[in-house]
Amino acid sequence: MRDTIFCVFSVLTTLVLAIVSLRYVTDFYLLSFFYSFQVHLAVAAAAASVAALLVKRHWYALLTLGVSVVLAVHGVVMMREFVEPAVDQSRPALFKLMSFNIENDNFANGADIAAMVIASGADVVSILEAEPLLSELPRLLKTYPYYIGCGVGMQECDTLVLSKRPLIEPRIRNLGLLWRNRLTISTIDFDGQKVNFLAAHLTKPYYDEFHGLEIEDLADIIPSLPGPLVLAGDFNTSILAPDVQYLMRSQGLGTVSLEPATWPIAAGAFGIPIDHVFSRAPLRLKSVRRIENSFGSNHFGLMAEFAVDP
């Protein structure tokens, strides 16, 4: 009986470790979902290895435990690779940004989400799957008179960017080949400091190779926008995904020391960050926090503050 239990633990642990380890061999789209959970899966594999050792002392359980620890540690190292130096909290924020995928059939909470947005104090608001806010636009425009999306620049109401300040040359682009109008690009002048804003909504990483193509489009677009830059939105994958890592490295993007988990809702702080706010120097993130009320969405929203280096 002990041998059978040990064998079950060992087989399951080996399968998990093999799936996670394949990221070092290939960026295969069907496994991208698991790559985002590298740390979680490695910790689970380590726990299973310990349980196997309690059942039966064997060198193979020690091996899987060692591999699990290596994968977990390397996952943490990769997450911290793009962390920017902390901004002195005494420095005033240049502006505040909200980014939130509210879920396109979340009509029951549209009014509450609009009230939250108005009360947030955010200077710029990026709403994805924004259909539930279409009827709330007249109320939102009293606080945010400048916007793109939901009838402006596109007929769809998937992406909506609201601003208290004028949007300079706002435009909408397609990303990849699957969905239309999922990237908005604009510039906002904050008292003489112009900042480029990109709000992106990427497809799920296991939909063929579309996610990688969308990342390639972003990598082509970002260099054409000189100066401070913000890239925010729903990437449907964590920063551990190989294609997102490529984007971060190639474009010099940075993030905060601990990205808040935004999905799945039920996991709370133990989920993964698939919604991101990235910045490019001289713009730096001062803070990023999770909006604790999901307002019926299947994502948590994010609030971020930015400062500019002298």
Side-chain angles (χ1 to χ4, degrees):
M1 183 64 177
R2 291 166 61 111
D3 289 343
T4 301
I5 295 174
F6 178 84
C7 183
V8 170
F9 275 123
S10 297
V11 169
L12 292 177
T13 304
T14 301
L15 287 174
V16 169
L17 294 177
I19 289 171
V20 174
S21 298
L22 279 173
R23 66 161 300 134
Y24 300 102
V25 179
T26 178
D27 182 13
F28 185 43
Y29 69 89
L30 285 178
L31 298 178
S32 294
F33 177 80
F34 300 101
Y35 297 160
S36 290
F37 282 94
Q38 175 166 336
V39 175
H40 294 70
L41 293 174
V43 170
S49 298
V50 171
L53 281 170
L54 293 175
V55 173
K56 178 182 178 181
R57 295 196 177 187
H58 193 277
W59 66 266
Y60 191 77
L62 289 173
L63 175 63
T64 57
L65 177 60
V67 174
S68 301
V69 170
V70 169
L71 288 174
V73 170
H74 190 236
V76 172
V77 169
M78 286 191 291
M79 286 191 293
R80 296 193 58 81
E81 178 182 349
F82 309 105
V83 172
E84 299 174 328
V87 176
D88 188 344
Q89 291 303 304
S90 64
R91 287 177 59 185
L94 179 66
F95 64 92
K96 184 188 292 187
L97 167 73
M98 176 191 295
S99 180
F100 195 179
N101 183 335
I102 65 173
E103 197 174 3
N104 57 14
D105 59 354
N106 190 16
F107 292 97
N109 294 285
D112 290 338
I113 293 171
M116 180 273 293
V117 168
I118 292 168
S120 69
D123 300 285
V124 187
V125 179
S126 172
I127 301 292
L128 305 177
E129 300 190 24
E131 188 75 27
L133 290 187
L134 184 58
S135 62
E136 301 294 328
L137 264 180
R139 180 157 64 119
L140 288 164
L141 293 180
K142 293 177 181 178
T143 303
Y144 298 95
Y146 308 99
Y147 77 104
I148 185 171
C150 293
V152 174
M154 69 169 92
Q155 292 303 312
E156 307 95 316
C157 200
D158 181 88
T159 303
L160 174 65
V161 176
L162 302 158
S163 175
K164 293 180 177 178
R165 298 173 183 245
L167 298 173
I168 302 171
E169 297 183 357
R171 53 206 184 275
I172 296 173
R173 291 279 303 269
N174 296 334
L175 281 179
L177 303 173
L178 186 59
W179 304 111
R180 289 176 50 80
N181 300 330
R182 282 200 161 187
L183 174 69
T184 68
I185 305 169
S186 56
T187 303
I188 301 178
D189 191 322
F190 293 98
D191 301 324
Q193 178 63 69
K194 291 183 178 180
V195 177
N196 295 303
F197 281 87
L198 282 75
H201 188 185
L202 279 68
T203 191
K204 292 176 175 58
Y206 43 82
Y207 283 8
D208 209 322
E209 297 181 351
F210 292 112
H211 194 276
L213 295 174
E214 292 168 349
I215 291 290
E216 290 178 8
D217 282 351
L218 285 173
D220 289 337
I221 292 166
I222 289 174
S224 69
L225 303 169
L229 180 140
V230 176
L231 171 60
D234 176 10
F235 280 60
N236 273 305
T237 189
S238 82
I239 203 171
L240 287 173
D243 56 359
V244 178
Q245 296 239 317
Y246 157 75
L247 180 69
M248 301 291 286
R249 291 192 189 100
S250 65
Q251 303 306 315
L253 300 175
T255 186
V256 289
S257 60
L258 183 62
E259 286 191 289
T262 60
W263 181 89
I265 294 295
F270 295 100
I272 60 173
I274 65 171
D275 302 87
H276 304 282
V277 180
F278 301 139
S279 65
R280 184 181 67 190
L283 191 69
R284 291 174 58 194
L285 279 159
K286 185 177 179 182
S287 66
V288 178
R289 66 175 179 84
R290 187 174 66 186
I291 300 170
E292 292 303 326
N293 189 340
S294 68
F295 292 93
S297 173
N298 58 350
H299 294 243
F300 286 109
L302 297 173
M303 290 288 294
E305 291 185 319
F306 296 84
V308 174
D309 284 335

